[in-house]
Amino acid sequence: MKKIKLFFLLFCICSISFQLNAESNKLKRNQVVIVGKINFNCNIDYEKLANFLDLSDEEIANGDFYTLPMTSDEISSIMNRKSDVIPYNKEYEKIKSGNYFMKVIKRDDKISFSTQTSRFCITNFLVYGLNNYNVLIPFPYYINIPEDEKALYIGSIYVYINKDYEIESINIVDEFDYAKEYFAENFSTEYELSRAQLIPLEK
Amino acid sequence: MKSLKKVVYLSFITVLSLVFTSCLSVGQTNFSYYERGLDRTPENSVIFYGMYYGANEMRYSQDDFNYSPDSQVFTGRLGVIVSAPVEPGSHYHLEHVKAQIITYQVGNYREIATIDSDIPKNYKGLDIQVPSEPGLYYIGWWEVVKTVQNGENTPFSGDEAFCWDLTQEEGEIEVLGAAKKAYKGTSWEAVIDERLNELNAGDK
């Protein structure tokens, strides 16, 4: 009986290490991937700004970026216990405006992108990728994650910003077919992407 | 025993008043007040000054395309802001702040935060629109647990324990004292003295 137990234990260890060695786009059992796109339309005078800041041609060609959306879990993990911290840091991954993001996160029944009390926020829009020219974008929604789902699409988010860096409007558009194609090409064909239903956070 | 208590109490008061009066001074800056004050005089420039009590480091940057770029860093324990002379009509955004606890305004919301962070462009609560008239411009002072609303310091959480009970005028006198030290030997000294006298006369 002891031998069987030992064998079973060995088997477990082997299977776990096998899982760890699997290719990077394989999700672990407790992981889901959130897919979405954020596109920014900013009404500032880009040419004047580039002149003003004396940017190089390379920087100008790079265009705008946004930071990878944060879940409220991550926000609270970097939050001081007594107070809130702007979930913003130079080291966060930057994605080109208009490109898809694919974010692997720990599975939870319910995932939100803003904390309720403070309107901290899905992402930062970075004009020319500059940290000091950033606009904080609120996203007061949460999604439920069904047990059998591995990949969820939260929508394509179009943000309009006026010349004073104020948010004019945020439209969430369903571009599921494109997202599905992108996901299959760039992540994995093993998982089926499905729509997530956005539920507004109560005020 | 009673007299000892009194002595301790009195010395405590003295220390407190020393801390809170007349020893305000500007911290480190990324520019020299003297050099910047040479060609930018009270006739053609503005100095903005105030206090962001609780901030350890602040960076204000000029972000209006019609004026030249400028970035000013104020470092110091008390969060005293005394700017170098700036162009009238320009606009300064608080770009970066390091602070332990601070309140700021986002639209209608007020928040307490621990930050070492770049302030987003859509957080305009602490921006400075420099007046078009040359001279001195007092931007007010903020407290750790208070925030500014309609030009008045408003308690944030009802916790008055940390509040430093000063009116805006008293705060201005404090900061002007620091400004006077910083601008010693420049043409701004006389203007600052004039404003100080005006404020002191108003007190009586």
Side-chain angles (χ1 to χ4, degrees):
Chain A
M1 199 54 191
K2 253 188 180 173
K3 264 187 182 170
I4 295 172
K5 263 187 183 169
L6 201 73
F7 185 74
F8 183 70
L9 200 76
L10 258 171
F11 175 74
C12 281
I13 291 166
C14 282
S15 59
I16 286 167
S17 55
F18 180 74
Q19 251 192 338
L20 287 175
N21 289 335
E23 53 185 279
S24 60
N25 285 343
K26 216 167 160 78
L27 293 169
K28 289 183 195 156
R29 193 182 294 168
N30 63 344
Q31 284 179 329
V32 284
V33 58
I34 305 291
V35 182
K37 180 176 110 171
I38 311 179
N39 187 77
F40 292 93
N41 204 322
C42 188
N43 212 2
I44 58 164
D45 195 329
Y46 277 86
E47 212 174 303
K48 270 191 182 169
L49 180 66
N51 272 332
F52 179 76
L53 295 171
D54 203 15
L55 296 179
S56 67
D57 289 346
E58 198 189 339
E59 282 171 304
I60 294 168
N62 275 341
D64 300 337
F65 289 83
Y66 64 93
T67 51
L68 205 60
M70 305 261 293
T71 62
S72 57
D73 253 22
E74 290 168 280
I75 294 170
S76 51
S77 78
I78 58 166
M79 232 155 64
N80 184 309
R81 275 196 198 142
K82 277 185 184 163
S83 54
D84 295 339
V85 167
I86 294 179
Y88 181 69
N89 195 307
K90 285 166 189 68
E91 290 115 54
Y92 294 145
E93 197 179 326
K94 291 176 186 176
I95 297 163
K96 240 181 141 112
S97 165
N99 281 9
Y100 283 94
F101 68 84
M102 293 185 294
K103 187 182 170 88
V104 178
I105 55 171
K106 211 175 134 216
R107 170 180 285 284
D108 210 340
D109 299 341
K110 175 180 157 182
I111 285 168
S112 60
F113 296 93
S114 302
T115 55
Q116 235 168 310
T117 46
S118 49
R119 258 130 269 270
F120 288 148
C121 296
I122 185 169
T123 179
N124 253 299
F125 165 60
L126 306 168
V127 183
Y128 284 126
L130 297 165
N131 288 317
N132 53 349
Y133 275 76
N134 71 82
V135 179
L136 213 53
I137 313 296
F139 195 70
Y141 295 97
Y142 69 89
I143 53 173
N144 289 322
I145 300 186
E147 236 165 72
D148 50 341
E149 297 290 0
K150 286 303 256 179
L152 287 164
Y153 168 68
I154 62 164
S156 299
I157 301 154
Y158 288 82
V159 184
Y160 295 88
I161 294 164
N162 69 12
K163 64 176 175 26
D164 296 321
Y165 305 100
E166 284 156 357
I167 299 160
E168 293 263 282
S169 67
I170 299 176
N171 298 333
I172 302 164
V173 181
D174 191 300
E175 293 174 351
F176 184 64
D177 293 340
Y178 293 109
K180 207 170 173 180
E181 212 171 283
Y182 181 87
F183 180 73
E185 271 172 28
N186 293 282
F187 195 84
S188 167
T189 47
E190 194 182 318
Y191 309 107
E192 185 90 27
L193 187 69
S194 53
R195 285 189 183 90
Q197 207 195 341
L198 295 176
I199 306 153
L201 279 173
E202 283 162 40
K203 275 174 192 169
Chain B
M1 256 334 256
K2 239 181 183 177
S3 61
L4 185 68
K5 250 186 188 173
K6 214 173 188 181
V7 167
V8 169
Y9 185 62
L10 270 178
S11 54
F12 182 67
I13 294 275
T14 328
V15 167
L16 258 190
S17 54
L18 272 178
V19 167
F20 283 147
T21 55
S22 74
C23 77
L24 272 192
S25 60
V26 291
Q28 279 182 313
T29 50
N30 63 339
F31 54 86
S32 149
Y33 286 104
Y34 184 77
E35 277 168 30
R36 291 281 291 258
L38 285 179
D39 52 340
R40 295 209 149 271
T41 62
E43 283 76 46
N44 62 21
S45 302
V46 175
I47 291 177
F48 61 81
Y49 58 99
M51 191 167 27
Y52 197 0
Y53 187 58
N56 304 328
E57 189 184 307
M58 290 163 282
R59 186 177 76 227
Y60 273 99
S61 289
Q62 204 289 114
D63 64 353
D64 189 331
F65 300 152
N66 301 317
Y67 299 87
S68 45
D70 177 31
S71 199
Q72 303 189 6
V73 181
F74 309 103
T75 319
R77 204 169 48 84
L78 284 174
V80 175
I81 302 165
V82 175
S83 81
V86 298
E87 287 174 86
S90 54
H91 182 267
Y92 280 76
H93 174 69
L94 179 63
E95 261 189 2
H96 192 97
V97 67
K98 270 188 203 170
Q100 268 132 24
I101 310 168
I102 218 159
T103 65
Y104 52 91
Q105 219 170 324
V106 190
N108 294 322
Y109 309 113
R110 276 177 279 152
E111 324 227 340
I112 279 195
T114 302
I115 25 179
D116 172 6
S117 178
D118 295 315
I119 306 292
K121 285 280 182 198
N122 51 345
Y123 283 38
K124 293 168 190 282
L126 295 166
D127 281 12
I128 293 163
Q129 179 59 56
V130 180
S132 50
E133 288 286 311
L136 297 173
Y137 177 50
Y138 179 47
I139 57 171
W141 72 282
W142 299 273
E143 268 193 73
V144 178
V145 288
K146 283 183 175 180
T147 187
V148 172
Q149 232 174 17
N150 304 326
E152 297 276 329
N153 272 325
T154 316
F156 174 71
S157 57
D159 183 3
E160 301 280 331
F162 301 106
C163 290
W164 179 10
D165 202 15
L166 273 186
T167 62
Q168 287 293 346
E169 284 75 29
E170 285 166 338
E172 183 171 0
I173 292 173
E174 295 291 331
V175 184
L176 268 179
K180 196 184 160 183
K181 280 184 228 165
Y183 278 103
K184 214 174 169 86
T186 67
S187 53
W188 287 93
E189 219 181 331
V191 185
I192 293 168
D193 269 337
E194 199 182 304
R195 177 69 187 146
L196 267 174
N197 288 337
E198 209 178 293
L199 284 166
N200 285 327
D203 264 5
K204 286 157 197 169

